[in-house]
Amino acid sequence: MSVDINEELRSLISRKFLKVIPSAQLQHVVMHLGMRDETAAVVVGSNGQLLGVFAEKDIAKTLVDRVSRKAPISQIMKKKIYSVDIGESLIDHAEIMVDQNLTILPVTDNNIVIGVLKRKDVIKVLFQSYKVKNKQSKDLQKQLEFKEDYLSIVSRAIQTPLHVITLSCDYLLSHKDQLSE
């Protein structure tokens, strides 16, 4: 049973996500994150192009830095972000997402945001893939153990006659003088 992780990840691309414009105020973005139970907002330009991401973990930073609640999100958002083009392999980016502890991964088509991958969904798929691979590994190990047992039995069956033939030849060679008389 082969699982195509890339296709499974592709099916998890959420088309419903919080998009905000760069001039949106911090207080409104935070309010919408809470109301929609989202972990991050994608900041997009007028044509839908990806400009940045503002995540839940950034809220604490705004409090520590005493950022005004009315500050535009463009001043606070992360501008250096990971994203993936819809045509690329998602598995490599999913692993980066988990390694970098990203809550969402914007999915683009020619830099226009068309959806997001959510960390919790990616982790489920990767975990399921691990379980499948682990089961396949165990099944293969059982098959190998069976083959080893079979070969062991066959080799013992072959060794016995070979052993008898070898002993017989050794006996005949050691007693060839007596046998020739």
Side-chain angles (χ1 to χ4, degrees):
M1 177 180 142
S2 176
V3 176
D4 187 353
I5 299 171
N6 211 35
E7 282 307 311
E8 197 163 344
L9 286 170
R10 199 170 299 286
S11 74
L12 292 175
I13 296 172
S14 175
R15 307 289 179 179
K16 293 182 180 181
F17 58 98
L18 181 57
K19 278 191 263 189
V20 297
I21 58 174
S23 60
Q25 292 181 355
L26 171 63
Q27 64 185 354
H28 293 130
V29 175
V30 170
M31 179 183 70
H32 283 287
L33 283 173
M35 285 175 26
R36 294 178 59 166
D37 196 28
E38 296 283 347
T39 57
V42 178
V43 184
V44 296
S46 58
N47 295 329
Q49 71 273 26
L50 178 62
L51 299 176
V53 170
F54 180 79
E56 279 179 330
K57 57 187 171 187
D58 299 323
I59 296 171
K61 185 174 175 1
T62 63
L63 293 172
V64 171
D65 294 345
R66 298 181 187 255
V67 176
S68 169
R69 294 180 302 148
K70 295 187 182 213
I73 206 69
S74 61
Q75 291 179 358
I76 310 158
M77 69 182 185
K78 284 192 174 56
K79 294 177 182 128
K80 183 181 178 196
I81 53 171
Y82 291 98
S83 67
V84 60
D85 190 86
I86 191 70
E88 294 179 86
S89 169
L90 297 179
I91 188 65
D92 297 332
H93 293 281
E95 289 171 355
I96 289 171
M97 184 181 191
V98 172
D99 290 344
Q100 297 294 321
N101 200 24
L102 304 173
T103 56
I104 64 166
L105 181 68
V107 179
T108 60
D109 188 3
N110 293 320
N111 202 36
I112 305 299
V113 182
I114 60 168
V116 295
L117 274 175
K118 296 181 178 179
R119 184 175 196 272
K120 64 180 181 167
D121 296 334
V122 168
I123 289 173
K124 284 179 192 174
V125 168
L126 294 176
F127 180 71
Q128 184 62 29
S129 166
Y130 170 76
K131 284 178 27 182
V132 167
K133 284 181 182 174
N134 196 28
K135 183 183 179 328
Q136 289 172 339
S137 224
K138 286 180 180 176
D139 290 347
L140 182 59
Q141 186 177 2
K142 284 179 185 174
Q143 288 175 357
L144 289 173
E145 287 172 1
F146 173 78
K147 285 180 182 176
E148 285 177 13
D149 289 345
Y150 178 76
L151 288 174
S152 173
I153 291 167
V154 168
S155 73
R156 270 190 244 124
I158 291 172
Q159 280 179 344
T160 302
L162 285 176
H163 185 68
V164 169
I165 293 171
T166 305
L167 287 174
S168 298
C169 288
D170 287 346
Y171 175 81
L172 289 172
L173 285 173
S174 66
H175 293 89
K176 72 177 179 183
D177 294 337
Q178 294 171 351
L179 293 172
S180 60
E181 296 173 354

